[in-house]
Amino acid sequence: MTLFLQTTEKFNPVFSFLIPGVHHLKTKEWRPLIYTSVEATLGTIYGVNYYRQRVLFNYARTLARDKCGVTLPSSYSENWRLVEAHYSYDEYVEYLYRVARQLYPDDPTKQDEYVTNRLPTFYWKWHDLESYYEFQRELRIYREISSKKTLILGLILLNHLASGIDNIVSSEIKNRAKLDVGTKTSFYYKGFDLYVFYRF
């Protein structure tokens, strides 16, 4: 005869995909707590990198305003890329003409048309090379942090998947371990089932 107590409250496995390690509340095992710890650690690292990225971005925007004479948009855009890649508006126009001459070597009209269609609507010129290089350096770090954030989000997703799969697999193993052949008698009392198995 085998006797054991089991709760009748059901635990949805989906919860483990949404909240890593939550199945600890059902199993009372230490292993699910690893998923919770990983989630908290990755979330903290992501938050720190998000804050650091915003500080870098705001500093670079202030630098462009003070040392370049241009107020860049509050979100990273093509204007940012132009100011980063070219020292001044005039230098960018010269670059456009070089490209236009390569594309239309014998057609000055098409060269002018090519340049005109690509002229930015704002003017900029860096005061000195040091500020220009500092701006480029800040944006390079900004993009590196973006890559780190993407990696962290990927790891968070994997942690959610691992937690959910772990819960499903461990539950299935436990359910199979409880299979038995014989006669079952059950008694219900305040949310619990008492099972008594008589083996043949």
Side-chain angles (χ1 to χ4, degrees), residues 50-115:
Y50 177 85
Y51 175 77
R52 185 183 172 209
Q53 189 179 40
R54 292 309 305 173
V55 170
L56 282 170
F57 186 84
N58 291 332
Y59 175 72
R61 192 165 183 245
T62 301
L63 189 66
R65 185 192 63 205
D66 296 342
K67 300 293 185 178
C68 186
V70 60
T71 301
L72 292 170
S74 57
S75 59
Y76 192 75
S77 63
E78 181 62 25
N79 291 356
W80 281 81
R81 287 185 281 273
L82 286 177
V83 173
E84 179 187 8
H86 301 277
Y87 186 79
S88 68
Y89 176 93
D90 295 333
E91 188 267 324
Y92 178 60
V93 172
E94 291 177 7
Y95 163 78
L96 289 177
Y97 270 112
R98 286 198 302 272
V99 175
R101 284 192 292 269
Q102 291 176 355
L103 295 174
Y104 312 105
D106 301 320
D107 195 336
T109 301
K110 286 205 169 183
Q111 293 175 13
D112 292 336
E113 183 180 348
Y114 176 89
V115 172

Side-chain angles (χ1 to χ4, degrees), residues 157-194:
L157 177 60
L158 286 176
N159 189 53
H160 281 248
L161 291 174
S163 173
I165 293 171
D166 179 279
N167 181 29
I168 292 173
V169 171
S170 60
S171 297
E172 184 65 21
I173 291 174
K174 287 181 181 179
N175 289 337
R176 290 187 179 183
K178 289 176 182 177
L179 291 177
D180 209 334
V181 178
T183 302
K184 178 182 76 172
T185 303
S186 63
F187 305 92
Y188 177 81
Y189 179 73
K190 292 184 178 180
F192 291 91
D193 279 335
L194 181 66

